[in-house]
Amino acid sequence: MLLWQGDITRLKVDAIVNAANAQLLGCFHPLHRCIDNAIHSAAGVQLREECHQLMQQQGHLEPTGTAKITKAYNLPCKHVIHTVGPIIPNGIPTAFQQEQLASCYRSILQLADEKRLESVAFCCISTGEFRFPNQLAAEIAVKTVSDFFVEHPGSSIKQVVFNVFKDMDKRIYEGILKGAGN
């Protein structure tokens, strides 16, 4: 597991993770600084069209804790894996919402493994606009990823990158990863 601070849309990995809304259509606020908007803007309109087609075929909103994969179009990565994390209006997640966040990570890793991807870069799912506490979100992320590799020793995934944008998240992940032996 690696830590990298910077713009996730610049990473040349098999897949980057998008913390998406339930419509999977990108952010609906022009020039908003969320990860969803950054990824859709950098990938190009083709990404929104593919997501629209996926949602039309599905016929309902994407449930929290699940994942969908698309092409990456104008991004240097090969794929975008979209997941809908829990929204925490009061900033205090319930045990159920914590499990939903863990489910996001498991769903992404299972999908990446099914597609035989070798590298995945995670954003900080549900933090920021969705108000999941950063420390707890990072703890859930690292534990869920670690548990996945214990449970799937033959996984195709060889590299996991925890991508952070904020200095605060970098410090949090450094502490957790150091404690995890990375």
Side-chain angles (χ1 to χ4, degrees):
M1 292 184 280
L2 304 172
L3 176 63
W4 186 74
Q5 184 176 17
D7 182 351
I8 198 169
T9 67
R10 301 292 172 237
L11 292 177
K12 189 174 182 178
V13 292
D14 287 343
I16 62 170
V17 172
N18 179 25
N21 57 41
Q23 294 86 3
L24 296 191
L25 295 177
C27 180
F28 297 114
H29 302 283
L31 305 177
H32 194 247
R33 295 183 52 162
C34 66
I35 190 80
D36 198 15
N37 197 37
I39 290 171
H40 274 270
S41 295
V45 70
Q46 304 97 321
L47 180 60
R48 189 174 289 235
E49 179 58 30
E50 184 176 351
C51 288
H52 173 72
Q53 293 301 322
L54 276 173
M55 297 308 289
Q56 289 296 309
Q57 292 168 3
Q58 181 168 292
H60 58 84
L61 297 177
E62 185 68 16
T64 300
T66 61
K68 291 280 189 293
I69 190 168
T70 62
K71 294 177 188 173
Y73 300 99
N74 298 323
L75 295 167
C77 60
K78 297 174 185 174
H79 303 279
V80 177
I81 300 178
H82 310 264
T83 191
V84 180
I87 299 171
I88 316 299
N90 64 359
I92 304 168
T94 64
F96 178 70
Q97 290 166 322
Q98 292 176 49
E99 173 51 34
Q100 286 179 311
L101 183 60
S103 180
C104 289
Y105 285 92
R106 280 192 301 274
S107 297
I108 291 161
L109 291 166
Q110 289 166 354
L111 184 56
D113 198 37
E114 286 171 16
K115 299 294 184 181
R116 308 298 299 156
L117 304 183
E118 294 185 4
S119 55
V120 178
F122 286 98
C123 63
C124 298
I125 301 166
S126 276
T127 62
E129 295 296 316
F130 284 13
R131 299 195 61 209
F132 206 104
N134 297 56
Q135 178 74 38
L136 181 57
E139 291 169 2
I140 290 169
V142 172
K143 181 181 184 330
T144 305
V145 170
S146 296
D147 289 351
F148 178 85
F149 287 113
V150 169
E151 296 164 10
H152 301 88
S155 173
S156 67
I157 304 166
K158 306 297 180 228
Q159 184 178 65
V160 168
V161 177
F162 292 107
N163 169 245
V164 297
F165 193 74
K166 298 176 184 175
D167 291 338
M168 173 187 67
D169 288 319
K170 182 180 181 199
R171 286 190 298 274
I172 290 170
Y173 273 92
E174 283 173 338
I176 294 168
L177 290 172
K178 183 178 179 184
N182 286 342

